[in-house]
Amino acid sequence: MNHEPSAIDLSVDLNGIEMRNPVTVASGTFGYGQEYADIVDLEKLGAIVVKGVSLEPWDGNQTPRMVEVPGGLLNAIGLQNPGVDGFAETYMPFLRKHDVPVIVNVWGKSVDEYAEASARLSDVEGVDGLEVNISCPNIKEGGIAFGTDEKMAAEVISAVRKSTKLPMIPKLSPNVTDISIFAHIAEEEGADAISLINTLPGMAIDIETRKPVLANVVGGLSGPAIHPVAVKMVWQAAQAVKIPIIGMGGITDAATAIEFIIAGATAVAVGTANFTDPATCLNVVVGIEEYLLRHGMKSVAELVGTLEV
Amino acid sequence: MNIENASILKQEKVTGDYNVLVLDVPGVSAHAQPGQFVHILVPRLENHVLRRPFSLYGVEDRTISILYKRVGKGTAALNLLQPGEEMSVMGPLGNGFPMECDCHPVLVAGGYGVAPLCFLAEKLGKKGDLFVGGRSEADILCIEDFEKLGWNVHIATEDGSVGQKGLVTEILDAWLNERADEDKPVFYACGPDGMLKALGNLAESKGATAWLSLDKHMGCGAGACLACVHKLRKKDGSEEWGRVCKDGPVFECREIVWET
Ligand SMILES: Cc1cc2nc3c(=O)[nH]c(=O)nc-3n(C[C@H](O)[C@H](O)[C@H](O)COP(=O)(O)OP(=O)(O)OC[C@H]3O[C@@H](n4cnc5c(N)ncnc54)[C@H](O)[C@@H]3O)c2cc1C
Ligand SMILES: Cc1cc2nc3c(=O)[nH]c(=O)nc-3n(C[C@H](O)[C@H](O)[C@H](O)COP(=O)(O)O)c2cc1C
Ligand code: FES
């Protein structure tokens, strides 16, 4: 598509991460960027969020790890990754060559691991921000997810805050009764932005064998099926905090992305739709611009949180 | 890797549940190699988010063809498409079969596994033997393609409805034992895991090389999601997950670790 340089300002600022447009990719659905570089011009994205990285290399789950369900998919990849050092050596040289902010999604099995991994990533040249995946079990504390326990969420976010000067973006779990409480905790503990939502827990059964389809038995639901849940949670979170929000969950086109912005998200992330069509992000950027033009707005910032109830 | 809107040139029934689809898709056909695959977004498949992977069965200037079996919703929807309709095709994907072969090529196929081997037989520049197996006659496909190219064809069916009765690896084993070993065989195979595993063991016991094309459920097809992984043995003996879509789908049998 050939576009005249437009008068519309699509840029957004996530408290230190300057994005040329509000559209990024959801962690785990776009690899480390280079996997899609043949078909997606990475410099047209607002930012790249890479697959979750932990202090040490991690093997992830047995297979099958993914199954399609109506309106989406269940995944139980299990956070396989090469660890902080492997990530920095293998993938950062490529990413550094591109003019696009790099946000590293980080996770751990204990508070200390989160803090140590975050500290190490902060020293890696070219990393522009950390997204902290708190939907992981705390192995030391009986396996309860950090993101579903108020005290543990506060503890892990605070520990990461102390270990890095980079913009820090806790990624909230939707598996809670009141998302605004967790949004508020993140802001209190010094987050620069928050992102939501991560996948919802789900399960599929093969009725012929009476076995679970996924080797891990349960998985995380993503895709169009979760979009309304995600829009609602972003709207609630936006009322609870002043820091910017990255909204995600089931985006497939500009319209589904714009809903998040109206609900209060400053930026949006495309996840599962990358598998359906890797050009989705680029289409969303173009579609948002067209929408703003049509509605007589000069910047995307004007649209954020304009829901009328 | 490219992504392009392909238009359907031909949709043809082969036998039973198998069809051939021919697509005009110059951006994908240009660099395609035997053993590589395409990831197809099946049109008019509401509420589905994943593409479907298919091996390249044939490639000409601007066109590719795939040979597919109807097994579920996606392949049923493919079956309804007519010439002239369009769909998004991503490819060519993965690493295909190595093409330099100074040994005697022996292809081993099960079910739709003949598809990539057909393309390979055409491009290998050397003739050899094809062993093809299936449950019954309806699963034995594309024999004429290989015969036209001058390959020797050996057939095994589990029910004995065509060819020899038994497993393809059994008739292959018998053939290998009778054969004077003037030139060493090298195996190229695609089919169900059980067949690939048995062939790998056979190849190792003969000290021969075997290139096996794995079939794993896929998500992205591009190496990004880590859904399609299989355990691989590294040179130093340690094991790691490899991505079938990007690091494969073709691996040498000694690299592959089979779960017991
Ligand atoms: C690299 C690669 C190459 C392939 N090449 C061919 C080919 O040349 N011709 C061909 O007919 N098929 C091929 N397949 C398999 C093909 O992708 C699946 O049959 C197809 O995706 C099924 O889609 P569906 O919507 O009809 O089935 P679904 O409704 O998704 O599933 C129907 C049934 O098929 C099973 N199934 C789904 N995907 C796969 C898979 N990848 N492997 C095994 N079983 C599966 C499901 O478990 C289920 O039992 C290939 C697969 C891979 C990974
Ligand atoms: C295959 C896959 C892998 C994922 N891996 C991660 C991950 O490593 N870290 C993380 O925080 N979220 C991960 N997610 C969650 C996504 O980033 C996103 O929050 C979720 O999928 C909802 O967005 P979507 O509906 O657009 O996919 C993963 C999702 C999928 C489908
Ligand atoms: S299918 Fe996504 S990594 Fe192979």
Side-chain angles (χ1 to χ4, degrees), chain A residues 26-29 51-52 66 73 75 77 79 105 131 133 171 197-199 222-223 226 248-251 269-273 275, chain B residues 225:
Chain A
S27 175
T29 66
K51 172 73 185 163
M66 187 184 282
L73 58 84
N75 93 80
I77 306 298
L79 298 167
N105 182 284
E131 180 181 60
N133 176 6
K171 180 168 174 179
I197 62 173
N198 214 314
T199 56
S222 65
I226 72 168
M248 73 190 84
I251 293 175
V270 175
T272 299
F275 305 155
Chain B
C225 74

Side-chain angles (χ1 to χ4, degrees), chain A residues 275, chain B residues 39 217-229 243-246:
Chain A
F275 305 155
Chain B
H39 216 20
H217 287 216
M218 285 181 181
C220 67
C225 74
L226 307 178
C228 66
V229 297
R243 299 163 301 176
V244 169
C245 69
K246 182 88 178 178

Side-chain angles (χ1 to χ4, degrees), chain B residues 52-53 55 67-69 71-75 112 215-217:
Chain B
R52 298 290 189 271
S55 302
L67 170 74
Y68 70 94
K69 182 180 187 180
V71 296
K73 293 198 180 117
T75 43
Y112 57 73
D215 179 344
K216 275 281 191 177
H217 287 216

Side-chain angles (χ1 to χ4, degrees), chain A:
Chain A
M1 252 167 278
N2 230 334
H3 270 265
E4 297 287 310
S6 86
I8 291 180
D9 181 7
L10 287 177
S11 68
V12 298
D13 182 352
L14 300 179
N15 271 334
I17 303 171
E18 284 170 26
M19 296 168 60
R20 63 170 64 81
N21 64 57
V23 184
T24 182
V25 289
S27 175
T29 66
F30 207 72
Y32 302 94
Q34 71 185 45
E35 293 84 351
Y36 280 114
D38 277 0
I39 46 182
V40 178
D41 181 350
L42 303 181
E43 300 191 0
K44 290 216 161 78
L45 299 175
I48 291 178
V49 182
V50 302
K51 172 73 185 163
V53 175
S54 52
L55 189 56
E56 301 295 336
W58 188 249
D59 235 14
N61 293 329
Q62 294 296 316
T63 59
R65 289 177 167 189
M66 187 184 282
V67 59
E68 216 183 12
V69 294
L73 58 84
L74 290 170
N75 93 80
I77 306 298
L79 298 167
Q80 182 188 329
N81 79 92
V84 170
D85 295 341
F87 160 73
E89 275 164 39
T90 314
Y91 299 106
M92 279 312 295
F94 173 87
L95 287 168
R96 273 195 291 267
K97 280 191 221 135
H98 291 81
D99 177 23
V100 59
V102 174
I103 301 172
V104 178
N105 182 284
V106 57
W107 66 277
K109 299 188 290 307
S110 66
V111 172
D112 291 345
E113 275 191 31
Y114 272 97
E116 176 69 19
S118 301
R120 300 258 287 271
L121 284 165
S122 308
D123 293 336
V124 176
E125 188 197 335
V127 174
D128 298 293
L130 299 180
E131 180 181 60
V132 189
N133 176 6
I134 59 171
S135 305
C136 306
N138 184 342
I139 306 289
K140 277 203 183 142
E141 307 268 339
I144 304 166
F146 288 98
T148 58
D149 181 283
E150 292 172 34
K151 203 172 130 277
M152 285 194 328
E155 215 180 305
V156 75
I157 295 168
S158 151
V160 173
R161 178 69 295 167
K162 291 191 188 100
S163 70
T164 186
K165 292 199 168 61
L166 287 175
M168 191 250 293
I169 311 168
K171 180 168 174 179
L172 305 187
S173 163
N175 199 16
V176 296
T177 313
D178 186 354
I179 196 83
S180 55
I181 294 175
F182 289 84
H184 190 70
I185 289 171
E187 187 172 51
E188 288 283 289
E189 297 299 338
D192 298 288
I194 52 175
S195 66
L196 62 154
I197 62 173
N198 214 314
T199 56
L200 291 153
M203 178 171 178
I205 296 171
D206 180 333
I207 61 165
E208 297 307 319
T209 59
R210 282 185 271 135
K211 287 183 174 166
V213 177
L214 296 173
N216 189 55
V217 184
V218 296
L221 179 64
S222 65
I226 72 168
H227 181 258
V229 178
V231 171
K232 184 241 185 195
M233 288 192 162
V234 164
W235 173 64
Q236 284 180 308
Q239 290 169 294
V241 297
K242 293 201 175 61
I243 49 177
I245 296 174
I246 308 177
M248 73 190 84
I251 293 175
T252 53
D253 55 14
T256 43
I258 289 166
E259 281 194 56
F260 280 109
I261 299 173
I262 294 172
T266 297
V268 293
V270 175
T272 299
N274 291 310
F275 305 155
T276 324
D277 182 357
T280 304
C281 290
L282 306 183
N283 296 338
V284 169
V285 175
V286 173
I288 290 175
E289 191 173 2
E290 282 168 1
Y291 175 90
L292 295 172
L293 205 61
R294 189 153 51 82
H295 286 265
M297 295 186 195
K298 293 203 164 50
S299 75
V300 67
E302 272 178 63
L303 183 64
V304 176
T306 53
L307 183 76
E308 303 195 17
V309 272

Side-chain angles (χ1 to χ4, degrees), chain B residues 84-134:
Chain B
E85 289 191 82
E86 296 207 334
M87 58 187 169
S88 167
V89 174
M90 218 169 117
L93 300 171
N95 294 311
F97 292 105
M99 296 300 286
E100 52 300 324
C101 169
D102 47 16
C103 298
H104 182 82
V106 176
L107 315 187
V108 186
Y112 57 73
V114 291
L117 298 179
C118 212
F119 184 23
L120 177 70
E122 197 189 310
K123 294 281 171 228
L124 210 48
K126 209 174 178 185
K127 294 181 187 75
D129 287 77
L130 166 76
F131 286 79
V132 52

